Amino acid sequence: MSKVPVLSCPQPARTQGTNHIINALTIDVEDYFQVSAFAQSIERAQWDSLECRVERNVHRMLDLLAQKDTRATFFTLGWIAERYPALVRRIVADGHELASHGYGHQRASDLSQAEFTEDVSKAKAILEDIGGVQIRGYRAPSFSIGQGNLWALDVLQATGHEYSSSIYPVKHDHYGSPDAPRFAHPIREVLMEIPPTTLRLMERNLPSGGGGYFRLLPYGISRWLLQQVNQRDAQPAIFYCHPWEIDAEQPRVAGIGWKSRFRHYVNLDKTEQRLARLLDDFRWDRMDRIFLDRPPVAANARAHTPSLHGVPVA
Ligand SMILES: [Zn+2]
């Protein structure tokens, strides 16, 4: 079968069997003190003086993935890669996709076009230099690309990225574009947007792709949400998590509001075990293999039909 170029509509990868859709597992490589919700309490200049735990946490995740013979995409900060080059090399050596989370974990919506261009270019150069592979994917910190800064997509394309996973079609107080398409779609000439997974329920898009929701909700509900996307929408899920989410012993950050505190620390001690179950219960692979490299096997018109408020129009 001939290879289909990116701009032909992407098709989910499929094989025979009941659990036939291969989902995308993604990990945003950043440390606990770099999350956007803590930006008011922790100065960027302090980062180098804080206890770094990202290295051991990513190694733990890599060990788990090796044990489950599963590959994933690691959206990695340039700031982390500079300090832990051996970690970046292990990500690549273990067969995972190395992708970019930008350099300094600044929201795209807080940067000028020139600053954003510098941030993503710097991260891509550092990751490619250390990893020795081409960086094709980018995820904006806190899913911070939306209606107000769609120019960021032009920058990503111009700087050689092939896909973004930065527009979360949900309503959230810190991010989200609830009317954006729910599934992978071409968004510029040679750039695809691959949004984290949502489930359409009661005329709303429910965040179903991981993060704090995966820690907050009982595992059975998270599994059901992903199963619905696989079975009802016949689409691969895009799941995301962070190395600090498996680290219950991380230092507690002082001076943050109750909401951020709850979101960050809830059920940290349960995440690794839940992740292991998730790896057993679904099939997983890297973003690039699912959405860029695999030729389509079966037609699925719903994935590509124009959508109305995120609901594919049949
Ligand atoms: Zn992040």
Side-chain angles (χ1 to χ4, degrees), residues 281-298:
D281 288 344
F282 294 87
R283 304 186 64 197
W284 300 98
D285 205 350
R286 308 158 37 143
M287 291 278 261
D288 57 349
R289 279 201 206 130
I290 294 173
F291 293 100
L292 303 184
D293 297 339
R294 275 201 182 101
V297 174

Side-chain angles (χ1 to χ4, degrees), residues 11 25 31 48 111 114 140 151 213 228 254 259 269 295 307 311:
Q11 299 285 344
L25 182 63
D31 219 329
D48 265 321
L111 299 177
W151 50 260
Y213 302 100
Q228 291 302 300
K259 206 192 258 185
D269 58 340
S307 66
V311 182

Side-chain angles (χ1 to χ4, degrees), residues 34 48 168 245 258:
Q34 295 173 313
D48 265 321
Y168 204 175
E245 289 187 282
W258 66 269

